[in-house]
Amino acid sequence: MLPKAWQAWAIGFSIGISVVLMLALGLRYTHRPLDAFSGGIYGMAVAFQLAAILGTMWLIKQHALPPLRMPAIGFIVGLHFLGLWKASHLRVFVWTALAMCLVCGLAAFLPGRTANGNVDLCDVVTGLASAVVLWAASAWSLLRRSA
């Protein structure tokens, strides 16, 4: 976690960026034919994601590795973008998957919360870096469509 003084700013900033990108993408959305998206493939990816998260959380609990929760979930969510890519054939999801898996994998090696209550770098980097990856993918999609 971030220090208390930074938490409200980080949350507000994250929500603000996300809302602006969602609105901008929603306004510029171009309809694709319904057959361009495979709901079955994406449904399987989501089912595997859920099973992987549940299994991983069980393993983390069994091996007493709570600092790895956030990076593990972020890595699994990153992998689910490969299912979204296969379902939609949009290459942006491959890069999103790779970037999220990379940042979450690297964050797993950062120190977690220490006994004296310092910032939990592992969780902060996992959360903020994942957000930046998603914002970058959204911004890229938005800029690509407006060009």
Side-chain angles (χ1 to χ4, degrees):
M1 287 188 96
L2 289 171
K4 291 268 187 216
W6 288 69
Q7 288 178 9
W9 285 101
I11 290 169
F13 187 68
S14 297
I15 291 171
I17 290 174
S18 298
V19 167
V20 167
L21 285 169
M22 285 188 288
L23 288 173
L25 284 167
L27 291 173
R28 295 203 178 267
Y29 182 76
T30 57
H31 293 286
R32 295 179 61 146
L34 290 177
D35 62 345
F37 182 81
S38 174
I41 291 174
Y42 187 61
M44 284 179 28
V46 171
F48 282 124
Q49 174 185 336
L50 178 61
I53 288 173
L54 292 173
T56 301
M57 292 303 100
W58 182 82
L59 284 171
I60 285 173
K61 185 176 181 182
Q62 295 302 310
H63 296 283
L65 297 169
L68 294 180
R69 277 184 291 213
M70 288 285 286
I73 290 172
F75 192 90
I76 294 166
V77 170
L79 287 177
H80 115 282
F81 280 97
L82 293 175
L84 194 50
W85 162 62
K86 290 299 286 180
S88 68
H89 305 288
L90 294 174
R91 233 182 268 171
V92 67
F93 294 124
V94 173
W95 298 110
T96 304
L98 291 172
M100 278 195 67
C101 289
L102 178 66
V103 298
C104 292
L106 292 174
F109 293 99
L110 295 173
R113 185 183 317 274
T114 59
N116 64 4
N118 285 341
V119 172
D120 186 337
L121 283 178
C122 183
D123 283 0
V124 170
V125 170
T126 298
L128 290 179
S130 295
V132 168
V133 167
L134 295 173
W135 293 333
S138 298
W140 183 83
S141 296
L142 181 63
L143 293 173
R144 190 171 141 245
R145 287 184 187 180
S146 64

